[in-house]
Amino acid sequence: MRPKLRLDAVLVQAVIAGALSFAHLHDIAEAAGQHGWKAWAYPISVDLLFVAAWRRLRALRADDRAARAAWTWFVIALAASLGANIATAGLLDLGAVPAWLRILVAGWPALAFLGGTLLAHTPTTPAETEAAETPAPADEVSVDRAPESAPALLPPTPPAPTAPELMPEVAEEPVEPAPVVAPAPEPAAVSVPAVPPALLDHARKIADTHRTATGSPIDRDTLRARLGVPPVLADAITAQLA
């Protein structure tokens, strides 16, 4: 949906005032000897300088910065526009323009160019100002140094000979004979326990049964497990059965 066009009284007033001021500046420029397209260029130059100064004033005031240069060019553009409007009110004979007005009109292009350039190239933010004032860091210059040669090592100086020291005579002590170590006693022979005949007969029956079943003689561990005797007695029984 397109927005409806709505006439604003302030906008209409601004258009009318701009058109009248434009026409008055054109008439002054033409009366001062600027004919053709040059007479139409003067109003555009004055209004553009006026708008540029006003925009720069707003930008500087938003940043809380000094705006003396912008105020200066704003006043100059306002004086040119207001002076042209007053001059065309019958206070100045446009058929016989004085020389000083011709000089002002002829010098206006250079003045407007200077003001527009300064307003356009003045930084508006503190960051731009600091960046412009901070010098670029200088490039580091590296110097290649030749490697230093290690100092030559001198051979160590031998120590100076010293006079032999006189050692005090020490009386020799008598050497005591080493003690005689007695030989270790031999371990006593382990006595083989006597096997009761009844136990030996029972063991022989168990051995025969084992040989018949397995075809091999019975070993000590199996015999000890069957009889329930200690290992020493089982060894003695096994030795008698062999």
Side-chain angles (χ1 to χ4, degrees):
M1 184 177 180
R2 294 182 179 180
K4 296 181 180 180
L5 296 178
R6 182 179 179 182
L7 294 178
D8 191 353
V10 177
L11 180 60
V12 173
Q13 180 67 21
V15 171
I16 294 174
L20 291 175
S21 177
F22 192 90
H24 293 161
L25 287 168
H26 170 267
D27 295 342
I28 290 295
E30 190 173 22
Q34 307 295 328
H35 304 289
W37 65 270
K38 293 182 289 185
W40 294 104
Y42 273 88
I44 298 175
S45 175
V46 173
D47 291 341
L48 285 180
L49 182 61
F50 188 81
V51 173
W54 173 248
R55 289 175 60 87
R56 182 51 55 91
L57 278 174
R58 293 185 60 186
L60 294 176
R61 290 176 63 185
D63 296 335
D64 295 332
R65 299 178 60 202
R68 287 175 293 182
W71 271 112
T72 301
W73 294 109
F74 180 81
V75 171
I76 291 174
L78 180 61
S81 178
L82 186 60
N85 286 280
I86 294 175
T88 56
L91 301 178
L92 183 66
D93 186 5
L94 298 181
V97 178
W100 61 267
L101 183 56
R102 293 177 181 270
I103 295 174
L104 289 178
V105 173
W108 173 259
L111 185 64
F113 177 78
L114 177 62
T117 302
L118 294 177
L119 291 173
H121 293 282
T122 302
T124 56
T125 60
E128 294 179 1
T129 306
E130 293 177 0
E133 293 178 356
T134 304
D139 297 336
E140 297 183 358
V141 179
S142 59
V143 179
D144 296 334
R145 301 180 59 184
E148 298 180 357
S149 58
L153 299 177
L154 299 178
T157 305
T162 58
E165 298 180 358
L166 298 178
M167 300 295 294
E169 296 181 358
V170 180
E172 296 182 359
E173 297 179 357
V175 179
E176 297 180 357
V180 179
V181 180
E186 295 181 358
V190 179
S191 59
V192 179
V195 181
L199 181 61
L200 183 60
D201 294 339
H202 181 64
R204 186 173 286 108
K205 292 179 181 180
I206 294 176
D208 293 340
T209 304
H210 182 78
R211 182 184 297 272
T212 302
T214 61
S216 59
I218 191 170
D219 57 342
R220 182 182 65 85
D221 294 334
T222 305
L223 183 61
R224 185 174 66 83
R226 294 285 184 89
L227 296 176
V229 294
V232 177
L233 186 58
D235 291 339
I237 297 172
T238 305
Q240 294 185 18
L241 291 178

